[in-house]
Each structure stands twice: as C-alpha cells, then as structure tokens.
Amino acid sequence: MKKGNPYTIKVLAFLCNWAPWSCYTGMGDLEIPIPGEVNVIRVMCAGRVNTALLLKAFEKGADGVLIAGCRIDNCQNGTGPEVALKNIDHTYEILDLLGLKKERLQFKYYLAHESEKLSSDLHGFVKRIEGLGQTPI
C-alpha cells in the first residue's frame, strides 16, 4: 500500500489441488508468511480456471490474478498446464480490449516441495500489482 492511499491491493490466487496446494500448506508448516493481500482459491486443476472465471475475478474486484499449476511433466490431469495457458492467452486478448494490462494475470508452475518459491512469487506478484495500482474496473 502506498503512502496516502488507503486502498489495499487485492490479489486472487487459484492454486491447483496438487503440487501448488502442497506448496501452500507447506508455507504454513514452515511458518512462511503469506501476503495479506492474497486470497487463495483451491481448484482441482489449473486447467479448470477458464476465461469466464478469470474475468469474473477482475469484475469482483481483484487487481491481480495468479494461477499456480503443476509443471507440465508433473500434472495429475495430463494437460492441465497447457489448457490453463490457452485460457490465459485468450484472457490476455480480452484484457487488452478492456484496456487492462496483461501483467495483472500470471501463471506459474510448481513442484510440491517449492513452498519458498511460491512465497517469493506471491510476494513479487503483490509488488507488481501494487506498482500497477488498483484496476480501473
């Protein structure tokens, strides 16, 4: 949050049930702080986070959305990361039409033991979104 601005950035993180969720619970076990600006939603697969859901997140007030999926070679559902990336590419086109920066939407891959990486990525993404400011939606 910037000085003189009472607005707090809102970030929504969709975490795949498998490796990313293990990272997230590992953060708690290791007492790694989770940024207060981040709300987490557990999904069965990153590939299930479609364009409509991503746009709804922005419509409901998210300033940034992070999708955390498994690595392509480690996906429980086989094609989840590829489907997620296709959905994100389609959403980028719509965000562009709406005048929003595509930097507000990001996809990251994780293995189950990468809690520190997830923490670093969440903190970095929050900083990026703080730099962009509140979404104009």
Side-chain angles (χ1 to χ4, degrees):
M1 182 166 54
K2 296 180 181 179
K3 284 186 177 183
N5 184 358
Y7 183 79
T8 300
I9 294 300
K10 297 176 188 122
V11 171
L12 185 61
F14 291 101
L15 273 58
C16 172
N17 182 60
W18 303 103
W21 190 257
S22 292
C23 293
Y24 181 69
T25 57
M27 287 173 63
D29 293 344
L30 297 170
E31 299 181 1
I32 299 171
I34 298 161
E37 300 87 352
V38 177
N39 290 308
V40 174
I41 296 178
R42 184 180 189 178
V43 295
M44 288 309 297
C45 178
R48 292 194 177 178
V49 182
N50 62 30
T51 299
L53 188 56
L54 292 169
L55 293 174
K56 182 61 88 173
F58 287 109
E59 178 188 342
K60 293 292 186 180
D63 298 303
V65 178
L66 176 79
I67 302 172
C70 299
R71 272 195 359 204
I72 291 171
D73 61 347
N74 195 44
C75 178
Q76 298 291 320
N77 297 309
T79 60
E82 291 97 338
V83 173
L85 290 170
K86 286 179 186 174
N87 290 337
I88 289 170
D89 284 343
H90 184 245
T91 306
Y92 282 158
E93 294 172 14
I94 296 170
L95 291 177
D96 187 46
L97 289 171
L98 294 172
L100 295 176
K101 296 182 184 308
K102 72 179 190 175
E103 290 81 12
R104 292 184 181 276
L105 175 61
Q106 186 175 43
F107 182 84
K108 292 285 193 170
Y109 301 100
Y110 298 93
L111 292 172
H113 66 278
E114 296 180 314
S115 296
E116 291 87 2
K117 181 179 183 239
L118 177 60
S119 174
S120 175
D121 289 344
L122 288 172
H123 283 88
F125 189 64
V126 166
K127 289 221 179 287
R128 174 194 293 181
I129 300 303
E130 285 175 341
L132 294 172
Q134 182 178 3
T135 183
I137 295 180

